[in-house]
Each structure stands twice: as C-alpha cells, then as structure tokens.
Amino acid sequence: MAHFTQLQLLTELEPVAGKELDRHLSAAKEWMPHEYVPWTEGSNFDGPLGGVPWSPEQSKVSTTARTALVVNLLTEDNLPSYHREIYQSFSADGAWGTWVGRWTAEEGRHATAIRDYLLTTRAVDPVALERERMVHMTQGFETSYQPDMLHTVAYVSFQELATRISHRNTGRYTEDPFCDQLLARIAVDENLHMVFYRNLLNAALEIAPDQTVQAIWDVVEGFQMPGSTIEGFTRRSLAIALAGIYDLRIHHDEVLSPVLKYWKLFELEGLSAGAEQARLKLAAFMADLDLKATRFEQKRAAQQARLAERLG
Ligand SMILES: [Fe+2]
Ligand SMILES: [Fe+2]
C-alpha cells in the first residue's frame, strides 16, 4: 500500500476535518464559565489587598480531592504547549486551522473556570498553585511519539476521553455540588473534542490503514496523561488511582477499549505485515493492561479492608 506523506494526509483528510468541524459547531452549546462560580463565597487574599491568607481548613474538599483538582487544573493550564503540538502537526489552512483555533478557545475556558472556582471557594493553596503553574508551563509538554498528524490525532482521541473521565470523577469525588456541576460541564466539552479526533482517525484508517494502525500502537504503548510532567505526578496519580478517580481499570475499560472498538481495529482486514505486527503487540498490551488493572484493584481492595479494620 502507498505510503502517504503528512501533506498528502492533511489534504486527503481536510474535507473530513471540515465535516467534523461543522458537526462540532452545531453540537457544541455556548456556556458561560462565570455562571458556575459562587462569587459571594469569595474574599480578598493577603498581599496588596490586605485580606486573609489561605490556610487548609478553609478548603471544604479533602486532600485527595485537592490533589486531583490541582492536577486537572495544571493540565488545562499547559494549553499553550498542546496548542503548539497540534498547530505544528496539523496545518493553518482550511478546516484544520479553524479547528485548532476553536479547540484552543474552548480549552482556554476550562482553566479559567476551574481557577476562578478554586480561588473563590479557597479550595486549594493559591500560592502553591501559582508556583506550580509557573514550573509546569515553563517545562511544557513533550510527546512520547513522533508528533505528526496521525500520532497526534491518535493521542488526543484517547487523551480527551481520559480528561473527560478525570474531570467527571474528580467533580463527583469532591462532594461539592457546585464543583461537580462545573467539572461535569467541562467534561461535556472534552467528550465533543474526543468525538472530533476519533472520527478523524476513523477516516484516516480508511485512507492509510497501515500507517494509522502503527500510529495507534505507538501512542497506546507510550501513553502518558498530559499532566505527567507535573512535579510529583507518580505520587499524585497513585492517590488519584486509589480514590478511583483515574486508574488502570478506567484506562483500559473506559478509555482505550471503547475507542479501539469504535475504530473496529481488531476487525480490519488486509493490513501490511508491519501493521499486523503492531496490532498483535497492541492486543498483547491490552491483555496485559487488563491483568495489571485487576491486580491493582485487588491491592486497593485489600488496603481498604485493612484500613476499615483499623478504624473499626
Ligand atoms: Fe480541557
Ligand atoms: Fe479537550
């Protein structure tokens, strides 16, 4: 089968990007981030305004909820880095350029809304948050794969879904109905983003199946959450996994599997030997991930049982 250059793929897929952009624009409902923030709960901080400094007892959410909220916000904060990646691997022309702009504008709303919410309700330490934002954004985001269009679209198909679930579950976990409401609204956006990328990659599978299957495997194998370069991410993601907000089971069952199923990846016929090889590795990877997810669930259940015993 012919090997497509990036430019050929971008040209071939531009009408699909256009169709998906139109679908997105008619499905996306305008929403106002300021309407989700309980402004009357806010008060001045110390510094130039001479208000009250933050202290942990002001926060109504648990330590683990704070961890998840901070990771989610820092991830959204790093938007300029993702914008660079997407802009460079797509094109500024036609539907590609319009999508990149629109997607960036929608994502920009997420960090704004979450930050307004967290600072107004004093849910997290604003000084630590700002310092972390500086470090995280300075460092930027690095992909584990070749940042061309196919790899980028494969990555964001999974990543948008992962982010959607992470926001949704974090909202529930806070037990704060306003926070839950805001994160649920953001999750709706992330879902529409996932649909755009997933459908685009579906079209790529028809045009260039071998290259696309290879890109999917590369991305699944090296998948890291976009916030994985946040300081202490390993420790924090363990807390997030123990809380059931995002863990291997969710990654396997609710992120990778449904998208692979949508693409009918394991039903594709006529792949090249190389792509077939990549698909076999992907199948083995999924089986192994399933095992690891089960082992983690068992460990977590045992830990929780021990804890309950100690407390009881
Ligand atoms: Fe977002
Ligand atoms: Fe998104």
Side-chain angles (χ1 to χ4, degrees), residues 103 107 110 159-160 189-190 193:
W103 173 85
E107 289 291 357
H110 299 168
Q159 172 272 322
E160 292 282 2
D189 285 0
E190 310 296 20
H193 297 161

Side-chain angles (χ1 to χ4, degrees), residues 65-237:
R66 287 209 288 273
T67 299
L69 287 164
V70 167
V71 167
N72 288 10
L73 175 51
L74 290 173
T75 302
E76 296 284 354
D77 274 333
N78 220 6
L79 178 60
S81 214
Y82 316 135
H83 174 86
R84 278 198 298 276
E85 292 281 330
I86 290 183
Y87 183 81
Q88 282 165 5
S89 61
F90 290 2
S91 150
D93 301 331
W96 293 109
T98 311
W99 169 258
V100 172
R102 169 76 192 205
W103 173 85
T104 305
E106 289 187 12
E107 289 291 357
R109 191 181 277 165
H110 299 168
T112 306
I114 298 174
R115 169 165 293 93
D116 286 347
Y117 188 86
L118 297 183
L119 298 188
T120 300
T121 61
R122 293 188 176 239
V124 302
D125 181 347
V127 176
L129 180 66
E130 181 61 6
R131 288 183 180 146
E132 284 216 272
R133 189 187 64 81
M134 290 297 292
V135 172
H136 188 52
M137 285 187 74
T138 304
Q139 188 178 13
F141 172 77
E142 241 187 90
T143 61
S144 65
Y145 49 84
Q146 201 186 329
D148 59 25
M149 189 271 284
L150 286 180
H151 285 82
T152 299
V153 176
Y155 177 76
V156 287
S157 297
F158 298 121
Q159 172 272 322
E160 292 282 2
L161 186 50
T163 310
R164 171 204 185 188
I165 292 168
S166 178
H167 282 313
R168 194 72 198 84
N169 289 348
T170 298
R172 287 202 190 105
Y173 191 83
T174 62
E175 296 182 345
D176 169 346
F178 289 164
C179 188
D180 186 31
Q181 185 169 258
L182 169 63
L183 293 184
R185 187 61 194 79
I186 291 173
V188 173
D189 285 0
E190 310 296 20
N191 193 51
L192 284 179
H193 297 161
M194 178 278 287
V195 170
F196 177 91
Y197 295 123
R198 182 199 64 186
N199 292 358
L200 200 54
L201 205 79
N202 207 36
L205 275 169
E206 279 177 31
I207 294 169
D210 297 332
Q211 283 168 264
T212 308
V213 166
Q214 184 63 51
I216 292 167
W217 162 239
D218 292 343
V219 162
V220 169
E221 185 190 23
F223 188 88
Q224 295 278 357
M225 289 296 262
S228 63
T229 54
I230 294 169
E231 223 177 54
F233 184 77
T234 308
R235 172 178 48 81
R236 287 167 164 186
S237 60

